[in-house]
Amino acid sequence: MSQHPELPFAAAIEVIKSLLPETLQKPRVGIVCGSGLGGIVDCIRDVVLVPYKMIPGFAESTVPGHKSSLAFGLMGPGDGVPVVAMLGRFHPYEGHHMRTVVYPVRIMAKLGVTEVIITNAAGGLNPKLSVGTIVVIHDHLALPNMTGMNPLLGPLTSPRHQRFIPLSDAYSPSLRRLVFLAAHHLSLDPSALAEGTYAWVSGPTYETPAEGRFLRLAGADVVGMSTVPEVLAAREEGLNVMALSLVTNAVVIPDGYRSIREEVLAELAGKRVELPVADVVSHEEVLEIGKAKGEVMMKLVEWVVGSIPCNI
Ligand SMILES: O=P(O)(O)O[C@@H]1C[C@H](O)[C@@H](CO)O1
Ligand SMILES: Nc1nc2[nH]cnc2c(=O)[nH]1
């Protein structure tokens, strides 16, 4: 495996701190915004934006719905909790090296972040999940991790890191509890918030119906092209992780394939048939749902940030 040049951690931290007032230099919570979910910046007070192009080692996000800036500021009631939000993320399918994809999470840890909230837009595999539902991720299924594309492959980025990271408790039960409490306090309909397993695929192609069925049979509830690399790096850095998916589209057609054979035979026999047709998903649709339903996600995140106890 090829070595990746050392990332300039110290230079990045120095630049970031030089652009921030002292009160914002040590954020407690890091937030990673998924496709179309960068509106979270509206919940942050005293915002200071730090463009990625100013930070050594950062790439640019090339995906529509992702902005290339970190937002520092305060969130939640009272004095507020210092936070840093990544308004756009890096995906491996953009051509970024895996070390670059997870670099911002490592920078967050170095700035003092102890909890990270990772959001994404995802396709629904579980037919019980309707579009707009928010899923609290409690586990993941990462085929790339199991087939030689684990983001933590290669030399350790710090001698403090463990070589072997357990993932049985990757998604903090305490933070997950807080989201459900948040939903109650915000009087959300209980069906608006579910919990489930996220399948990570590399993208950039969306799933074929067979791939969707395969992932569903393997136990996944939603599928997306991000999050897991960030979760792994965050766990390696010792951060508590919470991850939320917004279901933007349905992947699996419950009744299976539209059978052209059945259709033709029925037509020849003079019968009318109405067979299921697969949804054709697009990134525009993903962004549209993010715009329409992202506010609930933002309110949940804001409530959780304001309620994280000192020692979780
Ligand atoms: O960054 P996220 O995971 O929210 O973005 C999703 C997955 C792909 O990048 C894109 C597909 O529409 O949205
Ligand atoms: N892989 C994948 N990622 C998504 N992100 C939003 N929707 C989808 C989807 O259907 N599949």
Side-chain angles (χ1 to χ4, degrees):
M1 155 180 256
S2 66
Q3 298 280 320
H4 190 67
E6 276 311 304
L7 286 160
F9 286 105
I13 299 291
E14 196 182 319
V15 167
I16 291 171
K17 288 199 167 166
S18 74
L19 297 168
L20 297 174
E22 212 173 315
T23 45
L24 301 182
Q25 286 184 6
K26 194 175 181 300
R28 157 111 199 249
V29 180
I31 301 164
V32 181
C33 301
S35 286
L37 299 169
I40 198 103
V41 69
D42 295 340
C43 303
I44 304 178
R45 302 191 295 281
D46 302 344
V47 179
V48 178
L49 292 180
V50 179
Y52 295 166
K53 60 175 178 294
M54 296 183 74
I55 312 175
F58 267 61
E60 289 283 294
S61 185
T62 64
V63 183
H66 291 260
K67 293 195 183 111
S68 288
S69 284
L70 291 180
F72 288 83
L74 301 168
M75 190 181 268
D79 289 344
V81 176
V83 298
V84 50
M86 204 184 161
L87 301 184
R89 61 154 54 94
F90 309 133
H91 306 84
Y93 65 73
E94 294 171 75
H96 302 303
H97 192 283
M98 209 63 97
R99 289 200 166 209
T100 307
V101 170
V102 300
Y103 180 59
V105 168
R106 296 197 189 285
I107 290 287
M108 286 179 180
K110 288 193 190 309
L111 286 169
V113 161
T114 50
E115 274 78 36
V116 69
I117 299 178
I118 302 176
T119 67
N120 63 61
L125 296 165
N126 182 335
K128 289 190 186 142
L129 296 173
S130 49
V131 167
T133 306
I134 292 172
V135 178
V136 182
I137 300 176
H138 60 195
D139 201 352
H140 71 229
L141 179 68
L143 291 180
N145 286 359
M146 299 159 89
T147 54
M149 247 182 82
N150 190 304
L152 302 187
L153 283 178
L156 293 175
T157 48
S158 160
R160 287 183 302 104
H161 290 156
Q162 275 184 55
R163 178 73 285 187
F164 302 104
I165 309 289
L167 293 177
S168 43
D169 62 348
Y171 300 88
S172 160
S174 324
L175 290 175
R176 277 153 46 203
R177 255 184 82 78
L178 274 187
V179 198
F180 287 98
L181 290 174
H184 172 74
H185 283 274
L186 295 168
S187 308
L188 292 190
D189 187 294
S191 67
L193 196 62
E195 53 190 348
T197 296
Y198 178 90
W200 173 45
V201 296
S202 74
T205 45
Y206 293 109
E207 292 63 43
T208 64
E211 286 165 350
R213 279 200 303 278
F214 169 75
L215 293 171
R216 178 68 191 137
L217 278 173
D221 298 290
V222 286
V223 54
M225 307 177 196
S226 67
T227 300
V228 168
E230 294 146 1
V231 171
L232 300 189
R235 292 306 294 149
E236 191 181 46
E237 297 286 347
L239 309 186
N240 294 313
V241 173
M242 181 181 115
L244 301 175
S245 289
L246 172 66
V247 179
T248 53
N249 56 286
V251 175
V252 172
I253 35 169
D255 298 332
Y257 274 110
R258 168 186 179 198
S259 164
I260 298 295
R261 178 179 179 272
E262 268 180 57
E263 217 171 87
V264 170
L265 291 180
E267 265 169 34
L268 292 175
K271 291 186 206 144
R272 249 182 68 97
V273 277
E274 293 226 358
L275 294 167
V277 178
D279 246 8
V280 179
V281 60
S282 70
H283 189 59
E284 288 68 35
E285 179 191 348
V286 167
L287 294 181
E288 212 172 283
I289 300 294
K291 209 166 164 190
K293 306 281 184 182
E295 206 181 319
V296 180
M297 175 89 93
M298 288 157 209
K299 288 208 161 92
L300 287 170
V301 170
E302 188 179 27
W303 196 94
V304 168
V305 169
S307 311
I308 294 176
C310 287
N311 283 312
I312 199 161

